[in-house]
Amino acid sequence: MAIGEAMAAARKRQGITQLDLSQEVSYSRESIAKYETGTRKLPRDMYPTVTQQIDDPEFYFETWGETTGFVSIPYFNGDHIDQHPASMVYLVTKETEEAMDHLDNFNWGKPAKAYTQEELKQLEKALLENLDAAASMINMVASLSKTHGFSMKSLFQKWQVSLKARKYKL
């Protein structure tokens, strides 16, 4: 889905009019309409501003890759994903257990350059399992935020404050 179409869908899900959004991002309503229809391309430097103002979990996931340039986590939805909170907790638990099993079964005692090709394949599998676990956790945050009316923007801001308080460099 093009960024403009995704923006329009997210804006509508959040009950925000084009006029409301235009006032928040300091662009005209007509410009917002052109971005949404694809008549005009949304400037890249506007992605973070628009995404934060709409504050829609699905839109965060849809624009993640475009705003970061590469790294993205897919939004889990569709016929095979149950967004019910209990189902999301189950998914996180299952994915985290699998990731931890792979980490626990890896031989961490060797210097990095001493690993065989087979051991490096095992490590790669462990890393992929950790990405599955991380993606399931972020999707659970999105699902629970959506269900209970939390702002993902606000949650991420509070989380960053807590990271700074714990002396993590951001």
Side-chain angles (χ1 to χ4, degrees):
M1 179 182 292
I3 186 82
E5 291 175 46
M7 183 172 84
R11 180 183 56 71
K12 290 172 186 172
R13 279 192 301 271
Q14 294 301 317
I16 300 170
T17 66
Q18 288 180 340
L19 182 60
D20 294 336
L21 181 58
S22 71
Q23 291 170 343
E24 292 295 325
V25 298
S26 300
Y27 273 71
S28 70
R29 192 213 53 80
E30 291 78 12
S31 292
I32 298 296
K34 289 178 182 178
Y35 298 143
E36 289 183 355
T37 60
T39 309
R40 185 183 295 165
K41 187 173 178 173
L42 180 67
R44 236 186 205 325
D45 63 333
M46 286 294 297
Y47 285 20
T49 305
V50 168
T51 303
Q52 287 177 8
Q53 291 306 317
I54 294 175
D55 196 21
D56 179 73
E58 287 184 51
F59 192 52
Y60 283 122
F61 283 88
E62 290 169 351
T63 60
W64 200 332
E66 293 181 34
T67 57
T68 64
F70 181 72
V71 176
S72 68
I73 292 177
Y75 182 69
F76 292 171
N77 63 2
D79 295 338
H80 300 290
I81 298 293
D82 182 355
Q83 296 257 334
H84 185 276
S87 297
M88 293 305 291
V89 170
Y90 174 78
L91 178 65
V92 167
T93 301
K94 180 179 158 274
E95 294 294 351
T96 302
E97 286 172 355
E98 288 176 10
M100 293 308 297
D101 285 346
H102 279 82
L103 290 176
D104 288 343
N105 291 320
F106 187 73
N107 178 3
W108 296 101
K110 290 183 170 182
K113 293 184 180 191
Y115 289 118
T116 66
Q117 286 301 312
E118 185 58 36
E119 289 170 322
L120 290 174
K121 286 180 184 177
Q122 290 174 337
L123 178 57
E124 182 179 40
K125 178 67 175 164
L127 295 174
L128 290 170
E129 291 295 336
N130 274 268
L131 288 173
D132 284 347
S136 68
M137 288 177 193
I138 296 295
N139 271 273
M140 183 181 68
V141 169
S143 177
L144 293 173
S145 294
K146 192 174 182 178
T147 299
H148 297 288
F150 291 109
S151 160
M152 281 192 68
K153 174 183 168 184
S154 177
L155 286 174
F156 274 101
Q157 288 171 336
K158 289 175 184 176
W159 178 54
Q160 287 194 341
V161 168
S162 78
L163 291 175
K164 286 179 186 177
R166 292 178 278 159
K167 309 282 189 230
Y168 286 92
K169 285 189 174 186
L170 303 179

